[in-house]
Amino acid sequence: MASASAKSPEEKEASEAKRLGALDGKALEKAAITGRTAGFDAKKIAKAEVEAGRGMEADKKACQPLASLIGGFTHVPAVSTVHRSLQPEKAANATVGSMWLASHSEKNADRVMKELRTAVAACPKGFKTLGLTYGKVENLPAPKLGDEAVGYRITGDIGKQKVPMTYTVVRSGGVIAAFYGVNMLDTKKAAIPEPVIKAQLERIASAKG
């Protein structure tokens, strides 16, 4: 019998996922939208690019859930995470963004959402992370999708430009699905549209069987 140390990272992840009743990396990868979906093209993101965002630390502890999501991760460590970039299929659509799925136990996924809501309320004047300044955090109406959802906008100060970034974060059981959108022409259209989110939630439901 192989010792625990001989297990590959994938095997360790699979056994941890099983213990928590969560989706493992393979199941999560299969569940993530890929290719053309509801007017957007979802593409895999290079691992090095994804990992670059892992260490986003907020200068205010209360804002950490927001900083972690900017980096593409949940502040509560996930069993596995998969990422996609989202590009509009039509040139007339100026909304671009990304999405990621983070697999947790249902208890931890509940905690992610609860602490995210608290952070949105606690950080209206923003925070700093990795030398970047985010000057404003606003609560937005969340879509009535999944088990629960949170919507908010963070305005980043990039050079002299203010960049409003819109987030829609939805929980489906133990899976957190986060959608990030930017529209430099019209901030009201920056959120990733609901049909994309619905398509993703349907795939998560199928993966959970």
Side-chain angles (χ1 to χ4, degrees), residues 122-140:
C123 302
K125 292 184 178 173
F127 53 93
K128 289 180 181 173
T129 175
L130 293 184
L132 299 170
T133 299
Y134 298 95
K136 193 177 178 186
V137 178
E138 305 162 81
N139 200 13
L140 295 177

Side-chain angles (χ1 to χ4, degrees), residues 1-182:
M1 187 176 152
S3 68
S5 60
K7 281 185 178 179
S8 70
E10 289 79 13
E11 285 171 326
K12 283 182 184 170
E13 187 183 89
S15 60
E16 175 71 354
K18 194 173 180 181
R19 186 178 73 79
L20 296 171
L23 294 179
D24 64 20
K26 278 183 184 169
L28 203 63
E29 184 64 53
K30 210 171 167 185
I33 54 173
T34 308
R36 294 179 175 187
T37 307
F40 280 79
D41 191 12
K43 292 181 179 171
K44 291 185 183 184
I45 302 175
K47 192 167 174 61
E49 204 178 313
V50 166
E51 288 300 321
R54 197 182 276 276
M56 300 287 266
E57 277 192 28
D59 61 342
K60 298 174 191 165
K61 196 178 176 188
C63 310
Q64 188 56 47
L66 301 167
S68 294
L69 283 175
I70 286 172
F73 292 89
T74 48
H75 67 289
V76 178
V79 174
S80 58
T81 312
V82 298
H83 295 75
R84 297 286 186 267
S85 66
L86 294 172
Q87 297 290 333
E89 287 188 72
K90 291 179 180 168
N93 181 358
T95 301
V96 296
S98 59
M99 60 140 290
W100 55 98
L101 303 179
S103 176
H104 293 270
S105 67
E106 196 150 342
K107 184 182 172 188
N108 276 356
D110 274 341
R111 185 184 147 200
V112 168
M113 297 301 280
K114 186 180 175 189
E115 292 176 4
L116 177 59
R117 278 196 184 89
T118 303
V120 171
C123 302
K125 292 184 178 173
F127 53 93
K128 289 180 181 173
T129 175
L130 293 184
L132 299 170
T133 299
Y134 298 95
K136 193 177 178 186
V137 178
E138 305 162 81
N139 200 13
L140 295 177
K144 289 179 170 46
L145 295 172
D147 294 317
E148 55 180 321
V150 176
Y152 59 94
R153 183 184 296 127
I154 294 182
T155 302
D157 301 330
I158 316 295
K160 290 184 179 175
Q161 200 172 19
K162 294 204 178 297
V163 181
M165 309 178 300
T166 301
Y167 287 82
T168 308
V169 184
V170 185
R171 180 177 72 81
S172 174
V175 178
I176 301 290
F179 300 84
Y180 153 78
V182 173

